[in-house]
Short mmCIF file of all heavy atoms in Angstrom, two decimals:
data_model
loop_
_atom_site.label_atom_id
_atom_site.label_comp_id
_atom_site.label_asym_id
_atom_site.label_seq_id
_atom_site.Cartn_x
_atom_site.Cartn_y
_atom_site.Cartn_z
N MET A 1 25.31 -3.27 1.55
CA MET A 1 23.95 -3.07 1.95
C MET A 1 23.59 -4.17 2.95
O MET A 1 23.86 -5.35 2.73
CB MET A 1 23.05 -3.14 0.71
CG MET A 1 21.66 -2.68 0.93
SD MET A 1 20.59 -2.67 -0.55
CE MET A 1 21.45 -1.58 -1.63
N THR A 2 22.97 -3.76 4.03
CA THR A 2 22.58 -4.74 5.03
C THR A 2 21.36 -5.53 4.55
O THR A 2 20.63 -5.05 3.66
CB THR A 2 22.22 -4.05 6.36
OG1 THR A 2 21.02 -3.27 6.16
CG2 THR A 2 23.35 -3.16 6.86
N PRO A 3 21.11 -6.69 5.14
CA PRO A 3 19.91 -7.44 4.76
C PRO A 3 18.62 -6.63 4.97
O PRO A 3 17.69 -6.71 4.18
CB PRO A 3 19.95 -8.67 5.66
CG PRO A 3 21.40 -8.86 5.97
CD PRO A 3 21.97 -7.46 6.04
N GLU A 4 18.61 -5.82 6.03
CA GLU A 4 17.43 -4.99 6.29
C GLU A 4 17.25 -3.93 5.21
O GLU A 4 16.14 -3.67 4.77
CB GLU A 4 17.55 -4.32 7.67
CG GLU A 4 17.48 -5.28 8.83
CD GLU A 4 18.80 -5.98 9.13
OE1 GLU A 4 19.87 -5.56 8.61
OE2 GLU A 4 18.77 -6.98 9.87
N GLN A 5 18.35 -3.34 4.77
CA GLN A 5 18.29 -2.35 3.69
C GLN A 5 17.85 -3.01 2.38
O GLN A 5 17.06 -2.43 1.64
CB GLN A 5 19.64 -1.66 3.50
CG GLN A 5 19.99 -0.71 4.63
CD GLN A 5 21.42 -0.21 4.52
OE1 GLN A 5 22.33 -0.96 4.17
NE2 GLN A 5 21.61 1.07 4.82
N GLU A 6 18.37 -4.19 2.11
CA GLU A 6 17.97 -4.92 0.90
C GLU A 6 16.47 -5.21 0.91
O GLU A 6 15.80 -5.05 -0.11
CB GLU A 6 18.76 -6.21 0.76
CG GLU A 6 20.19 -6.01 0.33
CD GLU A 6 20.95 -7.32 0.14
OE1 GLU A 6 20.29 -8.37 -0.04
OE2 GLU A 6 22.18 -7.28 0.16
N GLN A 7 15.96 -5.62 2.06
CA GLN A 7 14.53 -5.92 2.18
C GLN A 7 13.70 -4.64 1.99
O GLN A 7 12.70 -4.65 1.28
CB GLN A 7 14.21 -6.57 3.53
CG GLN A 7 12.76 -6.95 3.69
CD GLN A 7 12.29 -7.96 2.66
OE1 GLN A 7 13.03 -8.84 2.24
NE2 GLN A 7 11.03 -7.86 2.26
N ALA A 8 14.12 -3.56 2.62
CA ALA A 8 13.40 -2.29 2.48
C ALA A 8 13.43 -1.82 1.03
O ALA A 8 12.40 -1.37 0.50
CB ALA A 8 14.00 -1.23 3.40
N LEU A 9 14.58 -1.94 0.38
CA LEU A 9 14.70 -1.55 -1.02
C LEU A 9 13.75 -2.37 -1.88
O LEU A 9 13.03 -1.83 -2.73
CB LEU A 9 16.14 -1.71 -1.50
CG LEU A 9 16.43 -1.35 -2.95
CD1 LEU A 9 16.12 0.12 -3.21
CD2 LEU A 9 17.87 -1.67 -3.29
N LYS A 10 13.72 -3.67 -1.65
CA LYS A 10 12.85 -4.56 -2.42
C LYS A 10 11.39 -4.16 -2.25
O LYS A 10 10.63 -4.10 -3.21
CB LYS A 10 13.08 -6.01 -2.00
CG LYS A 10 12.31 -7.01 -2.81
CD LYS A 10 12.66 -8.43 -2.42
CE LYS A 10 11.93 -9.43 -3.29
NZ LYS A 10 12.30 -10.80 -2.98
N GLU A 11 10.99 -3.88 -1.02
CA GLU A 11 9.61 -3.49 -0.76
C GLU A 11 9.26 -2.17 -1.44
O GLU A 11 8.18 -2.04 -2.04
CB GLU A 11 9.37 -3.40 0.75
CG GLU A 11 9.38 -4.76 1.43
CD GLU A 11 9.36 -4.67 2.95
OE1 GLU A 11 9.20 -3.55 3.50
OE2 GLU A 11 9.51 -5.72 3.59
N HIS A 12 10.16 -1.21 -1.37
CA HIS A 12 9.92 0.08 -2.02
C HIS A 12 9.86 -0.07 -3.54
O HIS A 12 9.01 0.54 -4.20
CB HIS A 12 10.99 1.10 -1.63
CG HIS A 12 10.91 1.53 -0.20
ND1 HIS A 12 9.83 2.23 0.32
CD2 HIS A 12 11.76 1.37 0.82
CE1 HIS A 12 10.04 2.47 1.60
NE2 HIS A 12 11.21 1.96 1.93
N LEU A 13 10.76 -0.87 -4.08
CA LEU A 13 10.76 -1.08 -5.53
C LEU A 13 9.49 -1.77 -6.00
O LEU A 13 8.95 -1.44 -7.07
CB LEU A 13 12.00 -1.88 -5.96
CG LEU A 13 13.32 -1.11 -5.87
CD1 LEU A 13 14.50 -2.04 -6.10
CD2 LEU A 13 13.34 0.04 -6.85
N GLN A 14 9.00 -2.71 -5.23
CA GLN A 14 7.75 -3.37 -5.59
C GLN A 14 6.59 -2.38 -5.56
O GLN A 14 5.71 -2.42 -6.43
CB GLN A 14 7.49 -4.57 -4.68
CG GLN A 14 8.42 -5.72 -4.97
CD GLN A 14 8.24 -6.89 -4.02
OE1 GLN A 14 7.42 -6.86 -3.10
NE2 GLN A 14 9.02 -7.94 -4.23
N ALA A 15 6.58 -1.49 -4.58
CA ALA A 15 5.53 -0.47 -4.51
C ALA A 15 5.63 0.48 -5.70
O ALA A 15 4.61 0.84 -6.31
CB ALA A 15 5.63 0.30 -3.20
N ILE A 16 6.85 0.88 -6.06
CA ILE A 16 7.06 1.75 -7.22
C ILE A 16 6.61 1.03 -8.49
O ILE A 16 5.92 1.61 -9.33
CB ILE A 16 8.54 2.18 -7.32
CG1 ILE A 16 8.89 3.13 -6.18
CG2 ILE A 16 8.83 2.82 -8.69
CD1 ILE A 16 10.38 3.35 -6.00
N ALA A 17 6.99 -0.23 -8.62
CA ALA A 17 6.61 -1.00 -9.81
C ALA A 17 5.09 -1.09 -9.94
O ALA A 17 4.54 -0.96 -11.04
CB ALA A 17 7.21 -2.41 -9.74
N LYS A 18 4.38 -1.27 -8.84
CA LYS A 18 2.92 -1.33 -8.88
C LYS A 18 2.34 -0.01 -9.35
O LYS A 18 1.44 0.01 -10.20
CB LYS A 18 2.35 -1.71 -7.52
CG LYS A 18 0.83 -1.84 -7.55
CD LYS A 18 0.27 -2.17 -6.20
CE LYS A 18 -1.23 -2.33 -6.18
NZ LYS A 18 -2.02 -1.58 -7.12
N ILE A 19 2.84 1.09 -8.83
CA ILE A 19 2.35 2.41 -9.25
C ILE A 19 2.60 2.62 -10.74
O ILE A 19 1.70 3.04 -11.48
CB ILE A 19 3.02 3.54 -8.42
CG1 ILE A 19 2.54 3.47 -6.97
CG2 ILE A 19 2.72 4.91 -9.03
CD1 ILE A 19 3.35 4.33 -6.02
N LEU A 20 3.81 2.32 -11.20
CA LEU A 20 4.13 2.51 -12.61
C LEU A 20 3.30 1.59 -13.49
O LEU A 20 2.84 2.00 -14.56
CB LEU A 20 5.62 2.30 -12.85
CG LEU A 20 6.54 3.33 -12.18
CD1 LEU A 20 8.00 2.97 -12.43
CD2 LEU A 20 6.25 4.74 -12.66
N TYR A 21 3.06 0.37 -13.03
CA TYR A 21 2.24 -0.56 -13.80
C TYR A 21 0.81 -0.04 -13.90
O TYR A 21 0.19 -0.07 -14.96
CB TYR A 21 2.25 -1.95 -13.15
CG TYR A 21 1.36 -2.93 -13.88
CD1 TYR A 21 1.80 -3.56 -15.04
CD2 TYR A 21 0.08 -3.22 -13.40
CE1 TYR A 21 0.99 -4.46 -15.71
CE2 TYR A 21 -0.73 -4.12 -14.08
CZ TYR A 21 -0.28 -4.73 -15.23
OH TYR A 21 -1.08 -5.61 -15.90
N ASP A 22 0.27 0.44 -12.78
CA ASP A 22 -1.09 0.96 -12.77
C ASP A 22 -1.25 2.15 -13.70
O ASP A 22 -2.34 2.40 -14.20
CB ASP A 22 -1.51 1.34 -11.35
CG ASP A 22 -1.71 0.13 -10.45
OD1 ASP A 22 -1.81 -1.01 -10.96
OD2 ASP A 22 -1.75 0.32 -9.21
N GLU A 23 -0.18 2.89 -13.93
CA GLU A 23 -0.22 4.08 -14.78
C GLU A 23 0.17 3.76 -16.23
O GLU A 23 0.29 4.67 -17.04
CB GLU A 23 0.71 5.16 -14.22
CG GLU A 23 0.24 5.73 -12.90
CD GLU A 23 -1.14 6.36 -13.00
OE1 GLU A 23 -1.39 7.14 -13.95
OE2 GLU A 23 -1.99 6.07 -12.13
N SER A 24 0.38 2.49 -16.53
CA SER A 24 0.78 2.09 -17.88
C SER A 24 -0.44 1.72 -18.72
O SER A 24 -1.46 1.28 -18.20
CB SER A 24 1.71 0.88 -17.81
OG SER A 24 2.89 1.20 -17.11
N ASP A 25 -0.26 1.86 -20.01
CA ASP A 25 -1.29 1.45 -20.96
C ASP A 25 -1.09 -0.04 -21.24
O ASP A 25 -0.07 -0.42 -21.83
CB ASP A 25 -1.16 2.27 -22.24
CG ASP A 25 -2.16 1.87 -23.31
OD1 ASP A 25 -3.06 1.06 -23.03
OD2 ASP A 25 -2.03 2.41 -24.43
N PRO A 26 -2.03 -0.88 -20.83
CA PRO A 26 -1.86 -2.32 -21.05
C PRO A 26 -1.66 -2.69 -22.52
O PRO A 26 -0.99 -3.67 -22.83
CB PRO A 26 -3.17 -2.92 -20.52
CG PRO A 26 -3.73 -1.89 -19.60
CD PRO A 26 -3.26 -0.56 -20.12
N ALA A 27 -2.21 -1.90 -23.43
CA ALA A 27 -2.07 -2.20 -24.85
C ALA A 27 -0.62 -2.09 -25.31
O ALA A 27 -0.22 -2.78 -26.25
CB ALA A 27 -2.95 -1.26 -25.67
N THR A 28 0.16 -1.23 -24.66
CA THR A 28 1.56 -1.06 -25.06
C THR A 28 2.47 -2.13 -24.46
O THR A 28 3.62 -2.23 -24.85
CB THR A 28 2.11 0.32 -24.66
OG1 THR A 28 2.12 0.42 -23.23
CG2 THR A 28 1.28 1.44 -25.26
N MET A 29 1.94 -2.92 -23.54
CA MET A 29 2.78 -3.88 -22.84
C MET A 29 2.43 -5.32 -23.22
O MET A 29 2.44 -6.21 -22.39
CB MET A 29 2.69 -3.65 -21.34
CG MET A 29 3.18 -2.27 -20.98
SD MET A 29 3.56 -1.90 -19.27
CE MET A 29 2.93 -3.17 -18.32
N GLN A 30 2.16 -5.54 -24.49
CA GLN A 30 1.81 -6.87 -24.96
C GLN A 30 3.02 -7.65 -25.46
O GLN A 30 2.93 -8.85 -25.68
CB GLN A 30 0.76 -6.77 -26.08
CG GLN A 30 -0.54 -6.13 -25.62
CD GLN A 30 -1.23 -6.95 -24.53
OE1 GLN A 30 -1.34 -8.15 -24.64
NE2 GLN A 30 -1.66 -6.27 -23.48
N THR A 31 4.14 -6.96 -25.65
CA THR A 31 5.36 -7.60 -26.13
C THR A 31 6.52 -7.19 -25.23
O THR A 31 6.42 -6.22 -24.47
CB THR A 31 5.69 -7.15 -27.57
OG1 THR A 31 5.97 -5.74 -27.55
CG2 THR A 31 4.54 -7.43 -28.53
N LEU A 32 7.62 -7.93 -25.33
CA LEU A 32 8.81 -7.55 -24.56
C LEU A 32 9.29 -6.17 -24.96
O LEU A 32 9.71 -5.37 -24.11
CB LEU A 32 9.92 -8.58 -24.76
CG LEU A 32 9.69 -9.93 -24.08
CD1 LEU A 32 10.82 -10.90 -24.44
CD2 LEU A 32 9.58 -9.79 -22.59
N GLU A 33 9.21 -5.86 -26.25
CA GLU A 33 9.62 -4.53 -26.71
C GLU A 33 8.73 -3.45 -26.11
O GLU A 33 9.22 -2.42 -25.64
CB GLU A 33 9.54 -4.45 -28.24
CG GLU A 33 9.92 -3.07 -28.78
CD GLU A 33 9.76 -2.96 -30.29
OE1 GLU A 33 9.09 -3.82 -30.90
OE2 GLU A 33 10.32 -2.01 -30.84
N GLY A 34 7.44 -3.69 -26.07
CA GLY A 34 6.51 -2.72 -25.48
C GLY A 34 6.76 -2.52 -24.00
O GLY A 34 6.72 -1.40 -23.50
N ILE A 35 7.01 -3.61 -23.30
CA ILE A 35 7.31 -3.53 -21.87
C ILE A 35 8.59 -2.73 -21.66
O ILE A 35 8.65 -1.84 -20.81
CB ILE A 35 7.44 -4.95 -21.26
CG1 ILE A 35 6.09 -5.64 -21.28
CG2 ILE A 35 8.01 -4.87 -19.85
CD1 ILE A 35 6.16 -7.13 -20.95
N GLU A 36 9.63 -3.04 -22.44
CA GLU A 36 10.90 -2.34 -22.31
C GLU A 36 10.75 -0.85 -22.59
O GLU A 36 11.27 -0.01 -21.86
CB GLU A 36 11.95 -2.93 -23.24
CG GLU A 36 13.29 -2.23 -23.12
CD GLU A 36 14.36 -2.76 -24.06
OE1 GLU A 36 14.10 -3.74 -24.78
OE2 GLU A 36 15.43 -2.16 -24.08
N MET A 37 10.03 -0.51 -23.65
CA MET A 37 9.87 0.90 -24.00
C MET A 37 9.06 1.64 -22.94
O MET A 37 9.39 2.78 -22.57
CB MET A 37 9.23 1.03 -25.37
CG MET A 37 10.17 0.56 -26.47
SD MET A 37 9.50 0.76 -28.12
CE MET A 37 9.55 2.53 -28.27
N THR A 38 8.01 1.00 -22.42
CA THR A 38 7.21 1.62 -21.36
C THR A 38 8.04 1.83 -20.11
O THR A 38 8.03 2.91 -19.51
CB THR A 38 5.98 0.73 -21.05
OG1 THR A 38 5.18 0.62 -22.23
CG2 THR A 38 5.15 1.32 -19.93
N LEU A 39 8.78 0.80 -19.73
CA LEU A 39 9.62 0.88 -18.54
C LEU A 39 10.69 1.96 -18.69
O LEU A 39 10.90 2.78 -17.79
CB LEU A 39 10.28 -0.48 -18.26
CG LEU A 39 11.24 -0.53 -17.08
CD1 LEU A 39 10.52 -0.17 -15.79
CD2 LEU A 39 11.86 -1.90 -16.98
N ARG A 40 11.34 1.98 -19.83
CA ARG A 40 12.38 2.98 -20.07
C ARG A 40 11.81 4.39 -19.98
O ARG A 40 12.39 5.27 -19.34
CB ARG A 40 13.01 2.75 -21.44
CG ARG A 40 14.18 3.69 -21.71
CD ARG A 40 14.82 3.37 -23.02
NE ARG A 40 15.27 1.98 -22.97
CZ ARG A 40 15.97 1.40 -23.91
NH1 ARG A 40 16.31 2.06 -24.99
NH2 ARG A 40 16.35 0.14 -23.81
N GLN A 41 10.65 4.62 -20.59
CA GLN A 41 10.03 5.94 -20.57
C GLN A 41 9.68 6.33 -19.13
O GLN A 41 9.92 7.45 -18.70
CB GLN A 41 8.77 5.94 -21.46
CG GLN A 41 8.08 7.28 -21.57
CD GLN A 41 7.04 7.50 -20.49
OE1 GLN A 41 6.41 6.57 -20.01
NE2 GLN A 41 6.90 8.75 -20.09
N GLN A 42 9.12 5.40 -18.36
CA GLN A 42 8.74 5.71 -16.99
C GLN A 42 9.96 5.96 -16.11
O GLN A 42 9.95 6.86 -15.26
CB GLN A 42 7.90 4.58 -16.41
CG GLN A 42 6.52 4.54 -17.02
CD GLN A 42 5.69 3.42 -16.45
OE1 GLN A 42 6.19 2.40 -15.99
NE2 GLN A 42 4.38 3.63 -16.47
N LEU A 43 11.01 5.18 -16.30
CA LEU A 43 12.24 5.39 -15.53
C LEU A 43 12.83 6.77 -15.83
O LEU A 43 13.25 7.48 -14.91
CB LEU A 43 13.26 4.30 -15.82
CG LEU A 43 12.95 2.92 -15.26
CD1 LEU A 43 13.95 1.90 -15.76
CD2 LEU A 43 12.92 2.94 -13.74
N GLN A 44 12.88 7.13 -17.10
CA GLN A 44 13.45 8.42 -17.48
C GLN A 44 12.57 9.59 -17.03
O GLN A 44 13.08 10.65 -16.70
CB GLN A 44 13.66 8.49 -18.99
CG GLN A 44 14.77 7.59 -19.46
CD GLN A 44 14.91 7.56 -20.98
OE1 GLN A 44 14.02 7.96 -21.72
NE2 GLN A 44 16.04 7.05 -21.45
N THR A 45 11.27 9.39 -17.01
CA THR A 45 10.36 10.47 -16.66
C THR A 45 10.20 10.63 -15.15
O THR A 45 10.16 11.77 -14.66
CB THR A 45 8.96 10.20 -17.28
OG1 THR A 45 9.11 10.10 -18.69
CG2 THR A 45 7.99 11.31 -16.95
N HIS A 46 10.13 9.53 -14.43
CA HIS A 46 9.77 9.60 -13.01
C HIS A 46 10.89 9.22 -12.05
O HIS A 46 11.11 9.92 -11.05
CB HIS A 46 8.57 8.70 -12.72
CG HIS A 46 7.38 9.00 -13.57
ND1 HIS A 46 6.64 10.15 -13.44
CD2 HIS A 46 6.80 8.30 -14.57
CE1 HIS A 46 5.66 10.15 -14.31
NE2 HIS A 46 5.74 9.05 -15.02
N VAL A 47 11.58 8.14 -12.32
CA VAL A 47 12.52 7.59 -11.34
C VAL A 47 13.88 8.28 -11.37
O VAL A 47 14.36 8.78 -10.34
CB VAL A 47 12.67 6.06 -11.53
CG1 VAL A 47 13.66 5.48 -10.53
CG2 VAL A 47 11.31 5.37 -11.42
N SER A 48 14.49 8.34 -12.53
CA SER A 48 15.84 8.91 -12.64
C SER A 48 15.91 10.37 -12.17
O SER A 48 16.85 10.72 -11.44
CB SER A 48 16.38 8.79 -14.06
OG SER A 48 16.59 7.43 -14.37
N PRO A 49 14.96 11.22 -12.54
CA PRO A 49 15.04 12.61 -12.05
C PRO A 49 14.98 12.71 -10.53
O PRO A 49 15.70 13.51 -9.93
CB PRO A 49 13.83 13.29 -12.69
CG PRO A 49 13.54 12.51 -13.91
CD PRO A 49 13.87 11.08 -13.54
N GLU A 50 14.16 11.88 -9.90
CA GLU A 50 14.06 11.92 -8.44
C GLU A 50 15.36 11.47 -7.78
O GLU A 50 15.81 12.06 -6.81
CB GLU A 50 12.90 11.06 -7.95
CG GLU A 50 11.55 11.67 -8.18
CD GLU A 50 11.36 13.00 -7.47
OE1 GLU A 50 11.80 13.15 -6.31
OE2 GLU A 50 10.77 13.91 -8.09
N ILE A 51 15.96 10.42 -8.32
CA ILE A 51 17.24 9.95 -7.77
C ILE A 51 18.31 11.01 -8.00
O ILE A 51 19.11 11.30 -7.11
CB ILE A 51 17.63 8.60 -8.39
CG1 ILE A 51 16.66 7.52 -7.93
CG2 ILE A 51 19.08 8.23 -8.03
CD1 ILE A 51 16.83 6.18 -8.61
N GLY A 52 18.33 11.61 -9.19
CA GLY A 52 19.29 12.67 -9.48
C GLY A 52 19.13 13.86 -8.56
O GLY A 52 20.12 14.40 -8.05
N ASN A 53 17.89 14.28 -8.31
CA ASN A 53 17.64 15.40 -7.40
C ASN A 53 18.11 15.07 -5.99
O ASN A 53 18.73 15.90 -5.32
CB ASN A 53 16.15 15.76 -7.37
CG ASN A 53 15.70 16.44 -8.64
OD1 ASN A 53 16.49 17.03 -9.36
ND2 ASN A 53 14.41 16.35 -8.91
N PHE A 54 17.82 13.86 -5.54
CA PHE A 54 18.24 13.45 -4.21
C PHE A 54 19.76 13.48 -4.07
O PHE A 54 20.30 14.04 -3.12
CB PHE A 54 17.72 12.04 -3.90
CG PHE A 54 18.22 11.49 -2.60
CD1 PHE A 54 17.61 11.85 -1.41
CD2 PHE A 54 19.31 10.65 -2.55
CE1 PHE A 54 18.08 11.37 -0.20
CE2 PHE A 54 19.79 10.16 -1.35
CZ PHE A 54 19.17 10.52 -0.16
N LEU A 55 20.45 12.89 -5.06
CA LEU A 55 21.91 12.85 -4.99
C LEU A 55 22.51 14.24 -5.10
O LEU A 55 23.50 14.55 -4.42
CB LEU A 55 22.46 11.93 -6.09
CG LEU A 55 22.10 10.45 -5.94
CD1 LEU A 55 22.59 9.67 -7.15
CD2 LEU A 55 22.65 9.87 -4.65
N SER A 56 21.94 15.10 -5.91
CA SER A 56 22.42 16.46 -6.04
C SER A 56 22.28 17.22 -4.72
O SER A 56 23.19 17.93 -4.30
CB SER A 56 21.65 17.18 -7.15
OG SER A 56 22.08 18.51 -7.25
N LYS A 57 21.13 17.06 -4.07
CA LYS A 57 20.93 17.71 -2.77
C LYS A 57 21.91 17.20 -1.74
O LYS A 57 22.45 17.98 -0.95
CB LYS A 57 19.49 17.50 -2.29
CG LYS A 57 18.49 18.30 -3.06
CD LYS A 57 17.08 17.99 -2.57
CE LYS A 57 16.05 18.68 -3.45
NZ LYS A 57 14.68 18.32 -3.06
N ARG A 58 22.16 15.89 -1.75
CA ARG A 58 23.11 15.32 -0.79
C ARG A 58 24.51 15.86 -1.02
O ARG A 58 25.24 16.16 -0.08
CB ARG A 58 23.12 13.78 -0.89
CG ARG A 58 21.85 13.11 -0.44
CD ARG A 58 21.55 13.37 1.03
NE ARG A 58 22.54 12.79 1.89
CZ ARG A 58 22.33 11.83 2.75
NH1 ARG A 58 21.12 11.33 2.91
NH2 ARG A 58 23.30 11.36 3.50
N LEU A 59 24.90 16.02 -2.30
CA LEU A 59 26.20 16.57 -2.62
C LEU A 59 26.30 18.00 -2.13
O LEU A 59 27.32 18.39 -1.54
CB LEU A 59 26.44 16.50 -4.13
CG LEU A 59 27.76 17.10 -4.62
CD1 LEU A 59 28.95 16.37 -4.00
CD2 LEU A 59 27.83 17.05 -6.13
N GLN A 60 25.26 18.79 -2.35
CA GLN A 60 25.26 20.18 -1.89
C GLN A 60 25.35 20.25 -0.37
O GLN A 60 26.07 21.08 0.18
CB GLN A 60 24.02 20.91 -2.40
CG GLN A 60 24.01 21.14 -3.89
CD GLN A 60 25.22 21.93 -4.37
OE1 GLN A 60 25.67 22.87 -3.72
NE2 GLN A 60 25.77 21.52 -5.49
N GLU A 61 24.62 19.38 0.33
CA GLU A 61 24.67 19.35 1.79
C GLU A 61 26.08 18.99 2.25
O GLU A 61 26.60 19.58 3.20
CB GLU A 61 23.68 18.33 2.34
CG GLU A 61 22.23 18.74 2.16
CD GLU A 61 21.26 17.62 2.51
OE1 GLU A 61 21.70 16.53 2.92
OE2 GLU A 61 20.05 17.86 2.31
N HIS A 62 26.71 18.04 1.57
CA HIS A 62 28.06 17.62 1.92
C HIS A 62 29.05 18.78 1.73
O HIS A 62 29.89 19.04 2.57
CB HIS A 62 28.49 16.41 1.09
CG HIS A 62 29.89 15.97 1.35
ND1 HIS A 62 30.27 15.34 2.50
CD2 HIS A 62 31.03 16.10 0.60
CE1 HIS A 62 31.57 15.10 2.46
NE2 HIS A 62 32.04 15.54 1.31
N LYS A 63 28.92 19.47 0.59
CA LYS A 63 29.81 20.60 0.32
C LYS A 63 29.58 21.72 1.33
O LYS A 63 30.52 22.39 1.74
CB LYS A 63 29.60 21.11 -1.11
CG LYS A 63 30.18 20.22 -2.15
CD LYS A 63 30.03 20.81 -3.54
CE LYS A 63 30.67 19.93 -4.59
NZ LYS A 63 30.52 20.48 -5.93
N TRP A 64 28.32 21.94 1.73
CA TRP A 64 28.01 22.99 2.69
C TRP A 64 28.60 22.65 4.06
O TRP A 64 29.11 23.50 4.75
CB TRP A 64 26.48 23.15 2.78
CG TRP A 64 26.06 24.26 3.67
CD1 TRP A 64 25.64 24.16 4.96
CD2 TRP A 64 26.04 25.66 3.36
NE1 TRP A 64 25.34 25.38 5.47
CE2 TRP A 64 25.59 26.33 4.51
CE3 TRP A 64 26.36 26.40 2.24
CZ2 TRP A 64 25.44 27.71 4.56
CZ3 TRP A 64 26.21 27.78 2.30
CH2 TRP A 64 25.76 28.41 3.43
N ALA A 65 28.51 21.37 4.44
CA ALA A 65 29.01 20.94 5.73
C ALA A 65 30.54 20.85 5.75
O ALA A 65 31.16 20.99 6.80
CB ALA A 65 28.41 19.59 6.12
N ASN A 66 31.16 20.62 4.58
CA ASN A 66 32.60 20.45 4.47
C ASN A 66 33.13 21.35 3.35
O ASN A 66 33.48 20.86 2.27
CB ASN A 66 32.95 18.99 4.16
CG ASN A 66 32.40 18.04 5.19
OD1 ASN A 66 32.72 18.16 6.36
ND2 ASN A 66 31.56 17.12 4.76
N PRO A 67 33.20 22.67 3.59
CA PRO A 67 33.56 23.57 2.50
C PRO A 67 34.94 23.32 1.90
O PRO A 67 35.17 23.58 0.74
CB PRO A 67 33.50 24.96 3.13
CG PRO A 67 33.16 24.79 4.56
CD PRO A 67 32.93 23.34 4.82
N GLY A 68 35.86 22.74 2.63
CA GLY A 68 37.19 22.49 2.11
C GLY A 68 37.33 21.15 1.41
O GLY A 68 38.35 20.85 0.82
N ALA A 69 36.28 20.35 1.47
CA ALA A 69 36.38 18.99 0.91
C ALA A 69 36.16 18.98 -0.57
O ALA A 69 35.57 19.77 -1.19
CB ALA A 69 35.37 18.07 1.59
#
């Protein structure tokens, strides 16, 4: 990863973290366990599916462009 990509990733992750934090219940994030459980639920609900969809689409595009590969 280039330094520019690392910086862009960091900025995007901070923006995502702010959105997820704003959508969290502060009462559930009073302990490390609460923070972990909230984060895990949000990652499984919002982040992982989007990354999976993106990677799946990229794989399909690759297979379409390279049918013998």
Side-chain angles (χ1 to χ4, degrees):
M1 192 177 301
T2 67
E4 293 81 14
Q5 289 171 321
E6 286 183 20
Q7 182 61 34
L9 180 61
K10 185 175 183 177
E11 290 171 7
H12 290 295
L13 289 171
Q14 288 176 359
I16 291 166
K18 182 182 181 330
I19 292 168
L20 294 177
Y21 178 80
D22 290 345
E23 293 300 313
S24 298
D25 178 7
T28 64
M29 299 195 348
Q30 298 298 314
T31 64
L32 288 176
E33 179 184 16
I35 293 169
E36 180 182 356
M37 291 182 71
T38 299
L39 178 61
R40 185 176 302 186
Q41 183 271 329
Q42 289 180 333
L43 288 173
Q44 290 175 344
T45 302
H46 304 291
V47 179
S48 293
E50 285 299 319
I51 292 172
N53 288 337
F54 175 82
L55 294 175
S56 178
K57 287 177 186 176
R58 293 298 295 244
L59 178 61
Q60 291 302 321
E61 290 171 1
H62 177 73
K63 285 183 177 180
W64 184 261
N66 303 302

